[in-house]
């Protein structure tokens, strides 16, 4: 085996960089919404920071379901794009649009009707005030995810990036103005952060549609083509997409459960965890870009009937390797990163020390987390296998990680860091082993195009 078999040659890198960098930058900008909120709200103290962190989990759950829906759509979009089936792509877009609006409106309704149930005890007042406003951004975020996903899946990655630049700048100015009363705006505190998020979130889909009208890209096709699907096509879509949505949704519920366990150990500890997660999500945006490139390149190839494992193998090595590099960089930069949130005496010593400790461990563990990430999100889903990844994800979280966290926190009474270590390792190590075994078996190849099915048949006969 040559080194290029694992890390790629010039043509591989040329396409990967073209697809991954704009998507990574867009996700960095999207993640910075929460970063800006967290940075500015942290000036209001530990309790408010913890409250916003808990309230944001509900929007994060809604966003993950949207991400799951888009991942399910990508199975079809990337393979249809390989054979230039534009009507098929629009049909998938129409189904996704209906499901995205239904899910986001359900989350909005629950946040309005029962904010105290969403937030939980301890930081109720500030969290409820934030959640009742920020929930109106959920449909906008779902629309932005969906429209951006269609554009990226058809290799038009620049427009979503440019729109993210505009909305991120708008969010930063609106945040500063409405939280602290700058630029002649009212000083609204935590409610101001929520209003700023809503305004900037709705800018996203509006700008994408306006610029798409000028570009006359795929989003501007006949509206009737969005809803010309049959019951059979809807069933096939749901068979591939619903396992991904269930995967993301139940995984997110598991993470919310873990976060409740962490929060019950003390709001100062959870505030420290919130700080790490904020800049960790920015770093993880880089891997979302690589995962998107993997989906497009592998899925397009499978859709055309060109069945081979070389590209998938390269991403399987590249993404965990980059995870190690990024993790070591975060450890080296932990002091300036945490100091962004700790200005003056706004945060306690316990919160700051927790942020440092969690950053060191979780950054070292990044490599293991990305082994399963690239397989489940990048390889298996692009190949059409959305069920196996769901099983691996949920089994490792609900059967291993959460029981370990409960045992270590409530029975063994370990430190906060000890609970985090057991939860992370319990989820990622078993899942990584299972994913590598499944990748080697090639059973994740399940094309949705006729060309792909013919190519798979020829590949198996040749093998």
């Amino acid at each position: 085996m040559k080194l290029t078999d694992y890390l790629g040659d010039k043509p591989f890198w040329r396409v990967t960089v073209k697809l991954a960098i704009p998507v990574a930058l867009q996700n960095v900008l999207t993640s910075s919404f929460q970063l800006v909120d967290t940075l500015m709200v942290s000036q209001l103290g530990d309790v408010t920071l913890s409250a916003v962190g808990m309230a944001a989990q509900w929007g994060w759950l809604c966003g993950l379901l949207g991400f799951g829906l888009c991942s399910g759509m990508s199975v079809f979009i990337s393979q249809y794009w390989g054979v230039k089936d534009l009507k098929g792509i629009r049909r998938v877009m129409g189904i996704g649009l209906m499901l995205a609006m239904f899910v986001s409106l359900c989350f909005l309704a629950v946040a309005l009707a029962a904010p105290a149930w969403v937030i939980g005890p301890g930081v109720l007042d500030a969290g409820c005030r934030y959640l009742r406003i920020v929930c109106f951004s959920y449909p906008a975020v779902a629309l932005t995810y969906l429209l951006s996903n269609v554009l990226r899946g058809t290799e038009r990655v620049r427009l979503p990036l440019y729109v993210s630049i505009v909305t991120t700048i708008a969010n930063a100015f609106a945040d500063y103005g409405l939280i602290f009363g700058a630029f002649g705006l009212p000083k609204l505190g935590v409610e101001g952060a929520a209003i700023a998020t809503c305004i900037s979130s709705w800018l996203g889909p509006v700008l994408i549609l306006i610029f798409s009208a000028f570009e006359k890209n795929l989003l501007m096709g006949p509206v009737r083509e969005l809803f010309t699907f049959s019951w059979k096509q809807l069933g096939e879509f749901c068979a591939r997409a619903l396992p991904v949505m269930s995967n993301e949704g139940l995984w997110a519920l598991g993470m919310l459960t873990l976060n409740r366990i962490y929060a019950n150990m003390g709001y100062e500890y959870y505030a420290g965890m919130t700080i790490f997660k904020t800049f960790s999500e920015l770093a993880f945006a880089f891997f979302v870009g690589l995962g998107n490139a993997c989906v497009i390149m592998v899925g397009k190839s499978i859709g055309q009937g060109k069945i081979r494992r070389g590209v998938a193998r390269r991403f399987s090595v590249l993404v965990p390797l980059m995870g190690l590099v990024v993790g070591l960089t975060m450890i080296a930069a932990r002091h300036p990163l945490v100091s962004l949130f700790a200005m003056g005496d706004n945060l306690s010593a316990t919160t700051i020390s927790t942020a440092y400790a969690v950053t060191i461990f979780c950054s070292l563990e990044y490599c293991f987390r990305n082994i399963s990430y690239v397989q489940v999100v990048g390889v298996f889903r692009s190949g059409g296998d959305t069920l196996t990844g769901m099983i691996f994800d949920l089994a490792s979280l609900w059967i291993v990680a959460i029981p370990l966290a409960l045992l270590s926190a409530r029975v063994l009474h370990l430190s906060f860091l000890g609970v985090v270590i057991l939860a992370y390792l319990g989820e990622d190590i078993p899942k990584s082993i299972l994913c590598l075994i499944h990748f080697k078996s090639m059973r994740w190849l399940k094309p949705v195009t006729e060309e792909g099915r013919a190519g798979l048949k020829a590949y198996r006969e040749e093998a």
Side-chain angles (χ1 to χ4, degrees):
M1 284 286 186
K2 299 177 182 178
L3 186 61
T4 54
D5 291 334
Y6 293 99
L7 297 181
D9 47 22
K10 286 184 180 179
F12 168 81
W13 279 102
R14 192 180 302 117
V15 177
T16 299
V17 170
K18 176 185 174 183
L19 296 175
I21 296 301
V23 176
L25 290 175
Q26 184 194 356
N27 279 277
V28 167
L29 293 168
T30 302
S31 298
S32 69
F33 267 49
Q34 188 61 34
L35 172 64
V36 171
D37 279 356
T38 306
L39 277 172
M40 296 187 184
V41 170
S42 68
Q43 307 310 304
L44 305 177
D46 300 78
V47 174
T48 306
L49 175 61
S50 187
V52 171
M54 289 301 297
Q57 293 296 305
W58 189 244
W60 174 75
L61 173 57
C62 182
L64 266 183
L65 285 174
F67 173 75
L69 173 62
C70 289
S71 294
M73 290 172 62
S74 295
V75 173
F76 295 88
I77 292 173
S78 61
Q79 295 191 31
Y80 285 156
W81 182 242
V83 293
K84 296 298 184 287
D85 183 0
L86 303 186
K87 289 185 178 180
I89 293 174
R90 292 194 183 101
R91 184 173 64 243
V92 168
M93 178 181 165
I95 298 173
L97 183 63
M98 292 191 302
L99 290 175
M101 288 299 96
F102 175 76
V103 170
S104 61
L105 290 174
C106 286
F107 271 78
L108 188 156
V110 172
L112 280 178
W117 176 81
V118 173
I119 300 298
V123 289
L124 195 58
D125 180 60
C128 288
R129 287 186 284 124
Y130 179 83
L131 185 62
R132 283 194 183 102
I133 299 172
V134 81
C135 65
F136 287 99
S137 68
Y138 298 165
V141 172
L143 277 173
T144 303
Y145 274 175
L146 186 141
L147 299 176
S148 298
N149 184 61
V150 174
L151 291 172
R152 291 196 302 250
T154 53
E155 300 184 66
R156 301 185 69 89
V157 294
R158 293 186 179 182
L159 177 55
L161 171 61
Y162 297 152
V163 169
S164 291
I165 292 173
V166 174
T167 55
T168 299
I169 294 172
N171 183 59
F173 277 97
D175 254 333
Y176 187 72
L178 291 170
I179 292 175
F180 303 111
F183 315 125
L185 296 172
K187 183 178 180 180
L188 300 177
V190 71
E191 290 98 333
I195 294 172
T197 298
C198 286
I199 293 172
S200 51
S201 294
W202 277 104
L203 271 179
V206 170
L207 291 176
I208 288 176
L209 291 174
I210 289 174
F211 284 108
S212 292
F214 283 104
E215 286 188 356
K216 294 182 172 55
N217 59 38
L218 188 68
L219 298 182
M220 291 295 108
V223 175
R224 65 179 180 276
E225 289 186 359
L226 298 176
F227 306 106
T228 55
F229 50 84
S230 65
W231 286 106
K232 180 181 178 181
Q233 290 165 338
L234 177 62
E236 184 182 11
F237 178 90
C238 291
R240 306 287 179 125
L242 290 183
V244 186
M245 290 187 67
S246 301
N247 183 358
E248 300 297 342
L250 293 173
W251 182 82
L253 283 174
M255 296 308 296
L256 287 174
T257 303
L258 284 176
N259 287 332
R260 286 290 176 93
I261 295 171
Y262 299 150
N264 287 337
M265 297 183 73
Y267 73 86
E268 291 177 313
Y269 295 122
Y270 190 73
M273 190 74 172
T274 300
I275 290 172
F276 164 73
K277 284 186 175 181
T278 302
F279 58 76
S280 172
E281 287 174 6
L282 281 176
F284 195 71
F286 174 73
F287 302 103
V288 174
L290 287 174
N292 182 79
C294 179
V295 167
I296 295 173
M297 293 168 69
V298 176
K300 184 178 178 181
S301 175
I302 293 171
Q304 293 172 339
K306 299 175 182 177
I307 307 297
R308 55 183 182 270
R309 191 165 54 179
V311 175
R313 180 172 57 224
R314 290 171 180 176
F315 279 105
S316 299
V317 173
L318 175 63
V319 175
L321 184 61
M322 294 305 298
L324 178 62
V325 173
V326 171
L328 293 175
T329 303
M330 287 172 61
I331 292 173
R334 65 188 182 280
H335 291 289
L337 287 172
V338 174
S339 67
L340 290 173
F341 301 86
M343 300 179 182
D345 58 353
N346 59 308
L347 299 179
S348 68
T350 300
T351 295
I352 295 171
S353 63
T354 300
Y356 285 140
V358 169
T359 299
I360 292 173
F361 166 73
C362 293
S363 298
L364 287 173
E365 206 260 355
Y366 240 40
C367 180
F368 293 107
R369 180 142 293 203
N370 278 292
I371 291 174
S372 57
Y373 174 77
V374 70
Q375 295 299 326
V376 173
V377 175
V379 177
F380 299 164
R381 291 179 185 175
S382 64
D385 183 2
T386 57
L387 183 61
T388 304
M390 180 190 77
I391 295 171
F392 291 168
D393 248 346
L394 300 182
S396 60
L397 178 61
W398 286 96
I399 297 177
V400 183
I402 291 176
L404 277 177
L406 286 169
L407 176 67
S408 57
R410 300 185 179 179
V411 179
L412 302 179
H413 302 291
L414 298 184
S415 66
F416 183 81
L417 181 61
V419 175
V420 171
I421 289 173
L422 284 179
Y424 268 66
L425 293 180
E427 179 185 2
D428 290 334
I429 290 181
K431 184 164 58 176
S432 297
I433 294 171
L434 292 171
C435 283
L436 291 175
I437 293 172
H438 190 60
F439 172 73
K440 188 176 180 181
S441 74
M442 297 291 283
R443 288 195 296 268
W444 47 272
L445 284 166
K446 298 180 180 180
V448 298
T449 65
E450 292 300 325
E451 294 85 348
R453 295 186 185 103
L456 178 59
K457 182 180 179 180
Y459 173 84
R460 285 174 173 167
E461 289 174 352
E462 182 182 348

